[in-house]
């Protein structure tokens, strides 16, 4: 018997309305104004000529797990109309739409044919080969005449051109026309608009940086706005910024290069060098602004950059130190005369170049002002921990502070800072004693600033000399003031015991909840077969079922089975015998991704397959997937779409991050979802990564702080837990299952693991998901050092670890340089739950115990962590 929590069709709750309004505001505050010559905001009642693919066919999110299921999706064209702006280019837009529809219909017809009746085949092909419009009609003289005539007896001198791109899971972007580069048609249309309109506004409806060289060269370019992809409210939020309802306040969390070739890994990233098996992270710590600022490569737009309709003045006034913490008080004043606005105060540190190579500067703290009226000031206090200035030394197996001057800078972007204080350390300080866990599996020479003509060491010495003649305060730091943190690492649970089954008593999980028996006693009572089921997701129990016959119900029991259609869950096999509930997990990143509608027959059987929650799958089917709206019950599960993760980070606003988390927590409660399979926390190593829209930043501090705020907010609600992913180095999508990331220990710890570490320590997430790739020759899913020694022993993570979907599939090993991870390897590494599960996974775990490839102690520990997570989240609650 199934229990459902959806709503009847057509019911729009007050919560849904409130969440949509809140996200609309958050999205607007995450948009970044890149160029502005005073033309914005646009007055209501104005006329504009609107062009470009994204005008009517706005891209709301990327493809894959981070899509969403909101009730409404408002295009940029519709958003402008609702804001009182008259669009005068209707003829062009209608002509474009008709051509686009024909092209899109042909694309999905091709997907249907290639899928050969198997829907998942179609989904995977759609991910691999996303729809990229080829039809881009050139603007004609007739189009211009229609548009410039305007409406309501008004002529327009303003044109808006929307550039859109889509990318996502399982495929990286390309350094090619129509993707990272403008297409020839886009360049031609932009040139026509610049010549024929006094004011040209360009909107970037994209998920990641792209080349803006041609755009910035246009004579009449008056504004360039990175609007991103903000889910269903995209058009409304764009209109709010363009009309001045919201003053732009977003700041970039990535460096936008002058040209692609300026990125340090431009030639070697993923498919760029033709090698998808081995990825050399030879740029080391020099990712994003760490590279551009250190090697003095001028970007198009720097990290932390973003314009406003007003201007601000910023001045560091007071520096205080208390133990290991430094407080910098900065006065920010709105020196504009018309618009209220908000500014972000950013604190960077330049560390001395000693034995360890150093980036020119690194972000160490930030905060955002309130809304400041013209002439209004606010004092912003930012606290930074001196320990956070430490670098990882592989020689010492420790986080260390090298002696020298640490210069703290305050500004509003990485390229606009002013020195505020010098922290002078006279001796080497070991802050945290670890052990090296990630040795390289091949020879690799890393980039070094000491190889350049004028190194970071040279710049630092010049600056230090200049500062010696100023009144910049100097704070002396002694090593005796720091206590070294020393970690204790567990020993592996080798095959210490025979593969004996549990005792003969059939203990029940509800007795653990009631405190009648201990969790250890309950786990020890489980058989090897029962534990094998528990460590494998529910899909393993229905592997042989077909799309048509699987009804989602447990046919062998009459107990109530909570259902959250469109989600995945843990095993239902032990509900009746052991009282162990299933635990629901929803994809996310841009909100809960569930079935927006589902169908139930008169016997309560679910008739709608969860795969139909995938965005655009209805277009693959070619019609409505609900079979009988008359005789069957139909329920809705519309959720709130969130701005893409990069936009959320671009607000630099912890309060807004918290509010997004609260939206997720409330909706998880509403639909009985225990685990959100997000946030995704991989670093923007290169702009061509297909999934960058789903990740926060090139910087680990912004990544960790944003994730921690979201996680804390979600997990403040009962029954709601978070899964941070993809742990780790999931920085490319091409061959993501088989890529071996060759990366140094220091680079791993300082760049690619640091965000996870911040979130793990500050927010204590319920779960971690391992990634598909290998790190230095070992699959992350089978990586004991990563999942157990680092996450659990160093960071204190006490939750559950799960695999990404299908990690252990052996189906294409014959095509791989590096075979897939194994079930036994997952259990040995402390990867507790194999998702989504398969019969070979269940058999693989069971047989590995019987063959003494894994010990009962290892298996029981994984089971205990899964059940502990259920207890924490109260899975199976009434």
């Amino acid at each position: 018997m199934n229990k459902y929590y959806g709503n009847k069709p057509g019911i729009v709750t007050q919560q849904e309305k409130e969440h949509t309004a809140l996200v609309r505001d958050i999205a607007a505050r995450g948009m970044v104004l890149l160029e502005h010559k005073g033309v914005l905001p646009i007055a209501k009642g104005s006329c504009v000529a609107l062009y470009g693919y994204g005008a009517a066919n706005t891209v709301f999110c990327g493809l894959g797990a981070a899509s969403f299921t909101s009730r409404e999706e408002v295009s940029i064209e519709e958003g402008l109309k609702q804001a009182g702006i008259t669009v005068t280019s209707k003829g062009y837009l209608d002509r474009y739409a008709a051509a686009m529809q024909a092209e899109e219909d042909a694309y999905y017809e091709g997907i249907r044919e290639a899928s050969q009746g198997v829907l998942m085949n179609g989904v995977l092909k759609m991910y691999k080969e996303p729809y990229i419009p080829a039809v881009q009609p050139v603007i004609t003289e007739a189009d211009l005449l229609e548009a410039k005539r305007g409406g309501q007896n008004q002529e327009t001198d303003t044109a808006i051109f929307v550039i859109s791109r889509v990318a996502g899971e399982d495929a990286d972007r390309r350094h090619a026309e129509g993707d990272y580069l403008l297409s020839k048609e886009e360049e031609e249309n932009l040139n026509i608009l610049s010549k024929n309109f006094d004011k040209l506004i360009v909107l970037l409806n994209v998920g990641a940086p792209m080349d803006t060289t041609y755009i910035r060269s246009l004579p009449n370019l008056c504004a360039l706005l990175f609007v991103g992809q903000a889910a269903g409210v995209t058009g409304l939020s764009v209109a709010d910024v363009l009309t001045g309802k919201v003053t732009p306040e977003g700041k970039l969390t990535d460096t936008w290069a002058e040209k692609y070739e300026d990125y340090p890994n431009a030639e070697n990233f993923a498919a760029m060098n033709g090698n998808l098996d081995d990825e050399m992270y030879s740029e080391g710590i020099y990712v994003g602004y760490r590279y551009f600022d250190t090697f003095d490569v001028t970007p198009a737009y720097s990290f932390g950059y973003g314009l406003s309709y007003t201007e601000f003045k910023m001045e560091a006034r007071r520096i205080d130190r208390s133990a290991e913490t430094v407080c910098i008080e900065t006065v920010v004043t709105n020196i504009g005369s018309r618009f209220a606005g908000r500014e972000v105060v950013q604190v960077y540190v330049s560390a001395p170049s000693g034995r360890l190579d150093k980036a020119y500067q690194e972000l160490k703290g930030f905060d955002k002002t309130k809304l400041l009226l013209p002439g209004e000031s606010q004092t912003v206090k930012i606290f930074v921990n001196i320990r956070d200035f430490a670098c990882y030394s592989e020689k010492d197996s420790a986080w260390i502070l090298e002696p020298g001057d640490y210069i703290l800078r305050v500004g509003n972007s990485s390229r606009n800072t002013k020195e505020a204080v010098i922290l002078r350390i006279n001796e080497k300080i070991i802050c945290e004693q670890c052990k090296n866990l990630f040795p390289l599996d091949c020879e690799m020479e890393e980039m070094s600033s000491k190889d350049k003509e004028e190194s970071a060491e040279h710049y630092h010495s010049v600056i230090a000399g200049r500062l010696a003649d100023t009144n910049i305060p100097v704070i002396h730091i002694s090593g005796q003031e720091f206590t070294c943190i020393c970690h204790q690492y567990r020993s592996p649970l080798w095959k210490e015991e025979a593969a004996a089954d549990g005792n003969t008593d059939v203990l029940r999980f509800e007795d653990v909840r009631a405190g009648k028996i201990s969790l250890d006693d309950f786990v020890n009572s489980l058989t090897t077969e029962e534990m094998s089921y528990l460590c494998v997701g529910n899909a393993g129990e229905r592997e042989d079922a077909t799309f048509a016959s699987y009804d989602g119900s447990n046919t062998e029991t009459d107990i109530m089975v909570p259902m959250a259609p469109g989600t995945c869950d843990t095993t239902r096999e032990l509900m009746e015998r052991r009282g162990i509930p299933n635990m629901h997990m929803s994809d996310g990143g841009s909100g809960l991704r569930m079935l927006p509608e589902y169908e139930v027959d008169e016997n309560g059987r679910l008739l709608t397959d969860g795969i139909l929650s995938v965005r655009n799958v209805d277009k693959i089917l070619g019609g409505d997937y609900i079979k009988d709206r008359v005789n069957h019950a139909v329920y809705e599960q519309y959720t709130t779409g969130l701005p893409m993760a990069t936009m959320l980070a671009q607000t630099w606003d912890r309060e807004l991050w918290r509010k997004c988390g609260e939206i997720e927590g409330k909706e998880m409660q509403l639909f009985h979802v225990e685990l959100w399979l997000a946030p995704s926390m991989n670093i923007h190593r290169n702009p061509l990564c297909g999934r960058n829209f789903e990740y926060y930043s090139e910087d680990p501090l912004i990544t960790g702080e944003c994730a921690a705020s979201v996680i804390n907010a979600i997990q403040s609600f009962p029954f709601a837990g978070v899964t941070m992913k993809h742990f780790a180095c999931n920085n490319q999508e091409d061959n993501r299952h088989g890529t071996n990331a060759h990366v140094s220990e220091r680079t791993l710890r300082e760049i690619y693991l640091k965000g996870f570490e911040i979130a793990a320590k500050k927010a204590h997430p319920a779960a971690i998901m391992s990634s598909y790739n290998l790190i230095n020759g070992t699959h992350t899913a089978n990586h004991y050092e990563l999942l157990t020694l680092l996450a659990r022993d160093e960071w204190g993570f006490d939750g559950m670890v799960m695999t990404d979907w299908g990690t252990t599939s052996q189906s294409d090993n014959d095509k791989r340089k590096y075979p897939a991870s194994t079930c036994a390897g997952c259990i040995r590494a402390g990867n507790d739950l194999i998702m989504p599960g398969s019969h070979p996974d269940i058999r693989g775990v069971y047989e590995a115990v019987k063959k003494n490839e894994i010990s009962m102690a290892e298996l029981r520990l994984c089971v205990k962590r899964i059940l502990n997570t259920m207890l924490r989240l109260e899975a199976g609650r009434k």
Side-chain angles (χ1 to χ4, degrees):
M1 183 182 300
N2 298 331
K3 184 175 182 179
Y4 303 96
Y5 301 95
N7 298 316
K8 289 293 185 180
I11 297 176
V12 182
T13 65
Q14 184 61 31
Q15 176 175 285
E16 184 179 341
K17 295 176 183 177
E18 291 173 355
H19 285 182
T20 300
L22 179 55
V23 167
R24 173 179 177 173
D25 182 66
I26 293 171
R29 299 184 189 281
M31 295 178 180
V32 181
L33 186 61
L34 300 174
E35 302 281 351
H36 189 224
K37 297 179 181 178
V39 301
L40 297 176
I42 300 171
K44 290 186 178 181
S46 298
C47 297
V48 300
L50 182 64
Y51 300 95
Y53 170 72
N57 298 279
T58 304
V59 177
F60 300 103
C61 68
L63 296 172
S67 56
F68 66 97
T69 50
S70 292
R71 186 181 301 274
E72 293 184 310
E73 297 177 355
V74 181
S75 70
I76 291 173
E77 178 187 13
E78 181 59 30
L80 290 174
K81 290 178 180 178
Q82 290 188 30
I85 304 297
T86 299
V87 175
T88 64
S89 50
K90 193 73 170 62
Y92 174 86
L93 292 176
D94 288 346
R95 181 161 56 89
Y96 198 166
M100 287 295 312
Q101 190 61 59
E103 185 180 271
E104 186 177 285
D105 289 346
Y107 168 80
Y108 283 107
E109 179 60 33
I111 294 288
R112 279 192 292 276
E113 291 178 2
S115 67
Q116 298 180 328
V118 180
L119 191 55
M120 180 55 78
N121 290 346
V123 170
L124 294 176
K125 185 172 179 61
M126 180 175 66
Y127 285 174
K128 270 288 187 188
E129 303 171 13
Y131 171 60
I132 298 175
V135 175
Q136 298 184 41
V138 174
I139 300 167
T140 66
E141 289 291 336
D143 294 327
L144 293 170
L145 183 62
E146 174 208 27
K148 297 192 77 171
R149 283 175 180 168
Q152 301 175 0
N153 299 316
Q154 286 183 285
E155 289 192 1
T156 181
D157 62 354
T158 303
I160 298 176
F161 192 83
V162 186
I163 297 171
S164 295
R165 298 289 187 268
V166 67
E169 201 165 341
D170 211 27
D172 288 318
R173 299 170 63 198
R174 294 292 180 259
H175 181 238
E177 293 178 4
D179 196 340
Y180 184 82
L181 304 173
L182 292 176
S183 68
K184 294 298 184 185
E185 293 81 4
E186 286 171 330
E187 288 187 357
E188 185 174 358
N189 281 334
L190 283 166
N191 184 49
I192 290 170
L193 295 178
S194 181
K195 288 181 177 179
N196 287 276
F197 290 88
D198 296 334
K199 303 170 186 175
L200 173 60
I201 299 166
V202 177
L203 307 180
L204 301 179
N205 173 216
V206 300
M210 62 177 294
D211 189 281
T212 60
T213 306
Y214 186 83
I215 299 170
R216 288 180 284 118
S217 73
L218 295 167
N220 285 342
L221 177 72
C222 292
L224 177 61
L225 181 66
F226 176 31
V227 304
Q229 296 160 355
V233 299
T234 301
L236 299 173
S237 299
V238 168
D240 288 345
V241 173
L242 293 181
T243 60
K245 182 178 179 180
V246 174
T247 298
E249 60 186 57
K251 302 283 185 177
L252 293 177
T253 57
D254 290 320
T255 304
W256 288 46
E258 185 71 32
K259 58 184 184 297
Y260 174 75
E261 290 76 14
D262 287 342
Y263 289 105
N265 46 37
E267 295 181 358
N268 297 323
F269 176 76
M272 292 298 293
N273 66 358
N275 183 355
L276 291 176
D277 292 319
D278 295 280
E279 188 70 9
M280 298 295 180
Y281 284 55
S282 55
E283 70 276 11
I285 62 171
Y286 294 107
V287 177
Y289 71 90
R290 287 168 168 80
Y291 169 76
F292 284 83
D293 294 351
T294 303
F295 289 84
D296 200 25
V297 179
T298 302
Y301 303 108
S302 61
F303 175 84
Y305 168 87
L307 299 176
S308 173
Y309 293 157
T310 188
E311 294 182 356
F312 300 92
K313 179 183 176 182
M314 188 181 298
E315 183 180 0
R317 290 278 181 86
R318 179 173 176 174
I319 312 295
D320 289 320
R321 182 201 169 198
S322 176
E324 298 178 359
T325 302
V326 175
C327 175
I328 302 174
E329 293 188 11
T330 303
V331 177
V332 182
T333 304
N334 181 347
I335 59 174
S337 60
R338 292 182 58 196
F339 299 101
R342 302 177 71 196
E343 179 63 295
V344 177
V345 182
Q346 304 167 32
V347 176
Y348 296 82
V349 65
S350 292
S353 184
R355 178 176 56 82
L356 295 176
D357 202 26
K358 306 287 200 317
Y360 176 68
Q361 60 183 355
E362 295 181 356
L363 182 73
K364 294 301 176 185
F366 62 90
D367 206 351
K368 196 167 189 176
T369 68
K370 65 179 183 179
L371 188 69
L372 297 176
L373 299 174
E376 187 177 7
S377 298
Q378 180 185 353
T379 299
V380 177
K381 294 183 178 181
I382 297 178
F383 297 86
V384 293
N385 193 307
I386 299 171
R387 284 182 182 268
D388 292 337
F389 304 167
C391 296
Y392 189 80
S393 166
E394 295 178 26
K395 180 179 179 181
D396 298 291
S397 303
W399 290 91
I400 67 170
L401 289 166
E402 291 194 297
D405 285 352
Y406 291 75
I407 304 169
L408 271 64
R409 312 168 179 281
V410 176
N412 63 359
S413 78
S414 73
R415 288 294 176 113
N416 185 31
T417 62
K418 186 176 180 180
E419 299 87 356
V421 63
I422 296 174
L423 303 183
R424 183 161 293 157
I425 297 176
N426 295 320
E427 58 188 307
K428 174 181 169 182
I429 300 173
I430 297 181
C431 298
E432 186 175 347
Q433 187 63 59
C434 308
K435 74 176 182 179
N436 293 334
L437 301 173
F438 309 104
L440 277 167
D441 60 336
C442 66
E443 291 187 4
M444 183 181 71
E445 184 176 350
E446 282 191 316
M447 181 180 293
S448 171
S449 68
K450 296 179 180 181
D451 296 334
K452 63 193 283 274
E453 290 184 10
E454 292 186 333
S455 67
E457 182 177 6
H458 168 77
Y459 284 127
H460 194 278
S461 63
V462 170
I463 293 168
R466 175 169 58 82
L467 295 181
D469 299 325
T470 68
N471 294 321
I472 301 295
V474 178
I475 299 176
H476 293 270
I477 309 292
S478 169
Q480 296 178 352
E481 303 172 57
F482 288 78
T483 300
C484 178
I485 299 169
C486 296
H487 295 291
Q488 298 295 318
Y489 299 89
R490 71 190 71 190
S491 299
L493 294 171
W494 303 116
K495 308 167 188 64
E496 299 168 349
E497 54 187 298
D501 276 337
N503 61 47
T504 57
D505 296 330
V506 181
L507 303 182
R508 295 187 60 79
F509 192 56
E510 55 262 35
D511 289 334
V512 178
R513 282 179 162 162
K516 296 179 181 179
I517 58 175
S518 71
L519 181 59
D520 284 331
D521 286 343
F522 180 74
V523 171
N524 289 336
S525 77
L526 297 172
T527 66
T528 303
E529 182 179 4
E530 288 172 327
M531 289 191 287
S532 299
Y533 272 101
L534 264 173
C535 287
V536 176
N538 182 54
E541 297 158 32
R542 55 184 174 92
E543 184 188 57
D544 297 329
T546 65
F547 170 79
S549 66
Y550 175 61
D551 62 14
S553 64
N554 187 331
T555 55
E556 297 180 1
T557 178
D558 292 327
I559 65 172
M560 188 67 72
V561 180
M563 298 292 290
T567 66
C568 293
D569 57 352
T570 54
T571 183
R572 304 172 198 168
E573 185 71 16
L574 303 177
M575 283 183 169
E576 187 170 30
R577 174 176 170 81
R578 291 289 194 168
I580 299 176
N582 59 332
M583 183 165 55
H584 299 96
M585 311 171 195
S586 171
D587 264 330
S590 293
L592 298 180
R593 193 191 78 178
M594 306 177 69
L595 279 170
E597 290 186 306
Y598 60 90
E599 184 177 6
V600 176
D601 71 10
E602 61 275 9
N603 297 315
R605 294 184 306 165
L606 178 65
L607 302 176
T608 312
D609 193 275
I611 194 177
L612 296 167
S613 65
V614 173
R615 188 170 179 81
N616 294 333
V617 77
D618 55 324
K619 296 180 180 179
I620 298 177
L621 289 173
D624 188 1
Y625 60 75
I626 301 297
K627 298 179 176 65
D628 188 346
R629 293 182 178 272
V630 176
N631 298 306
H632 293 159
V634 177
Y635 297 92
E636 292 181 343
Q637 291 181 133
Y638 286 109
T639 61
T640 304
L642 302 179
M644 67 182 196
T646 306
M647 289 184 70
L648 187 57
Q650 286 175 173
T651 67
W652 294 64
D653 190 326
R654 292 179 176 87
E655 177 64 14
L656 294 186
W657 299 342
R658 180 188 65 80
K659 289 180 179 179
C660 276
E662 288 181 346
I663 289 173
E664 294 306 288
K666 290 177 181 178
E667 295 187 359
M668 289 173 71
Q669 286 191 310
L670 176 65
F671 294 114
H672 281 235
V673 174
E674 285 86 19
L675 273 176
W676 189 42
L677 300 177
S680 300
M681 298 174 58
N682 299 103
I683 293 295
H684 293 170
R685 178 174 173 245
N686 183 287
L688 298 186
C689 175
R691 243 170 144 172
N692 274 351
F693 73 95
E694 191 179 340
Y695 309 147
Y696 295 118
S697 175
E698 69 187 23
D699 181 74
L701 178 65
I702 281 284
T703 296
E705 290 288 337
C706 189
S709 296
V710 172
I711 294 169
N712 275 323
I714 291 175
Q715 295 187 165
S716 69
F717 291 88
F719 326 127
V722 163
T723 309
M724 58 182 192
K725 66 182 186 182
H726 311 85
F727 194 53
C729 290
N730 193 116
N731 302 113
Q732 71 182 66
E733 288 300 300
D734 288 342
N735 191 34
R736 58 180 176 161
H737 291 83
T739 298
N740 187 4
H742 304 280
V743 54
S744 72
E745 176 117 10
R746 180 188 176 191
T747 299
L748 264 173
R749 287 178 175 269
E750 291 189 16
I751 305 295
Y752 299 101
L753 298 175
K754 178 56 73 172
F756 289 101
E757 179 184 0
I758 292 169
K761 290 179 176 179
K762 287 194 171 186
H764 306 285
I768 290 175
M769 181 191 293
S770 59
S771 54
Y772 288 123
N773 55 279
L774 301 86
I775 294 178
N776 295 333
T778 301
H779 274 283
T780 63
N782 291 168
H783 211 306
Y784 178 77
E785 290 78 10
L786 179 71
L787 305 182
T788 296
L789 300 187
L790 181 79
R792 293 184 168 111
D793 291 349
E794 284 192 24
W795 299 350
F797 173 70
D798 60 358
M800 173 184 74
V801 178
M802 71 176 73
T803 70
D804 205 340
W805 267 227
T807 298
T808 56
S809 172
Q810 309 292 313
S811 60
D812 60 350
N813 271 350
D814 58 328
K815 302 175 184 177
R816 292 184 177 184
K817 177 178 180 179
Y818 300 103
S821 60
T822 66
C823 297
C826 287
I827 301 301
R828 283 196 302 268
N831 206 332
D832 310 303
L833 182 61
I834 300 168
M835 291 299 292
S838 66
H839 279 305
D841 288 332
I842 297 170
R843 289 195 303 269
V845 173
Y846 181 83
E847 291 171 1
V849 175
K850 296 302 182 183
K851 295 176 182 177
N852 284 329
E853 294 175 358
I854 55 177
S855 69
M856 288 294 280
E858 290 169 318
L859 183 59
R860 284 175 178 146
L861 187 54
C862 289
V863 167
K864 182 178 178 179
R865 286 191 289 248
I866 294 170
L867 295 178
N868 250 329
T869 303
M870 290 184 178
L871 290 171
R872 172 179 174 178
L873 302 178
E874 298 187 53
R877 61 198 184 278
K878 299 298 183 183

